């Protein structure tokens, strides 16, 4: 398979007879590296961010990594290359806290329909207020669990949306 760059840095797959005389072509990762070794890293980032189905990046750690990732992304995928459903479900796995742990206790308190007040969670766990807030922020919110925070009778109350 032969690839070439368009004038606006898009990568197209072309057959051997379909290339233009003035375009940059490459057929292997090493060819691509040789072509891109003089380019600024910003150009490689722009090429990567234009590729369909990739997560945009602000920068690459180095040129070799950038070239390797772009090369893998432009390769035609076969059925064996596609991520399996098992792998996809593993990335969306929500960790379960160890039974009886303080984290599990907090999760139980927050799962109640009325939620629980910050001071009640502190009394139950022995944690300080900033620890409770940090736990909710890091371990619950960042795991895509929806946490609702509101005031009831002048106290901060947290509740998980189920």
């Amino acid at each position: 398979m032969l690839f070439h760059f368009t004038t606006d840095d898009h990568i197209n797959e072309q057959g051997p007879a379909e290339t233009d005389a003035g375009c940059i072509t490459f057929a292997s990762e090493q060819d691509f590296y040789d072509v891109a070794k003089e380019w600024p890293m910003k150009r490689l980032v722009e090429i990567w961010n234009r590729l369909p189905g990739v997560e945009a990046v602000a920068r690459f750690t180095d040129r070799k990594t950038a070239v390797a990732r772009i090369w893998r992304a432009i390769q035609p995928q076969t059925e064996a290359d596609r991520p399996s459903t098992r792998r996809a479900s593993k990335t969306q796995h929500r960790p379960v806290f160890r039974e009886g742990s303080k984290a599990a206790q907090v999760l139980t308190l927050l799962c109640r329909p009325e939620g629980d007040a910050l001071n009640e969670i502190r009394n139950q766990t022995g944690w300080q207020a900033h620890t409770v807030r940090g736990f909710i922020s890091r371990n619950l919110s960042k795991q895509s669990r929806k946490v609702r925070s509101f005031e009831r009778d002048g106290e901060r109350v947290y509740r998980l949306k189920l």
Side-chain angles (χ1 to χ4, degrees):
M1 183 66 56
L2 193 61
F3 298 93
H4 83 272
F5 283 99
T6 62
T7 55
D8 57 351
D9 280 344
H10 284 87
I11 300 174
N12 291 332
E13 295 180 42
Q14 297 292 322
E18 300 174 23
T19 59
D20 297 330
C23 71
I24 301 171
T25 61
F26 57 96
S28 69
E29 186 176 349
Q30 183 59 46
D31 291 345
F32 180 42
Y33 185 82
D34 292 340
V35 167
K37 67 183 173 187
E38 300 298 322
W39 293 350
M41 290 296 291
K42 186 175 182 179
R43 185 175 182 185
L44 291 173
V45 169
E46 290 171 359
I47 291 169
W48 171 261
N49 290 339
R50 285 188 187 129
L51 293 174
V54 298
E55 188 173 326
V57 298
R59 66 183 188 94
F60 288 108
T61 54
D62 58 26
R63 187 172 311 279
K64 186 176 178 182
T65 302
V67 168
R69 286 183 67 186
I70 293 170
W71 178 254
R72 280 193 310 269
I74 63 174
Q75 295 304 304
Q77 287 191 339
T78 62
E79 204 56 41
D81 293 338
R82 297 182 198 280
S84 68
T85 55
R86 183 175 181 183
R87 183 180 225 177
S89 67
K90 190 175 185 179
T91 59
Q92 295 186 13
H93 171 71
R94 291 183 178 173
V96 177
F97 300 110
R98 190 182 66 231
E99 189 176 330
S101 67
K102 290 182 181 182
Q105 290 173 5
V106 172
L107 186 62
T108 303
L109 293 171
L110 297 179
C111 285
R112 298 186 317 183
E114 68 274 5
D116 211 352
L118 176 63
N119 287 331
E120 289 301 316
I121 297 170
R122 289 182 58 207
N123 292 338
Q124 188 79 10
T125 60
W127 289 347
Q128 293 184 15
H130 70 274
T131 306
V132 173
R133 290 189 301 267
F135 172 81
I136 290 171
S137 174
R138 174 65 177 109
N139 292 311
L140 301 177
S141 297
K142 301 259 168 98
Q143 294 173 3
S144 298
R145 296 181 193 242
K146 302 291 183 190
V147 180
R148 183 167 177 238
S149 171
F150 54 95
E151 281 199 28
R152 182 188 316 139
D153 299 327
E155 281 192 306
R156 178 60 50 192
V157 177
Y158 297 98
R159 180 177 71 208
L160 273 178
K161 292 181 183 179
L162 301 175

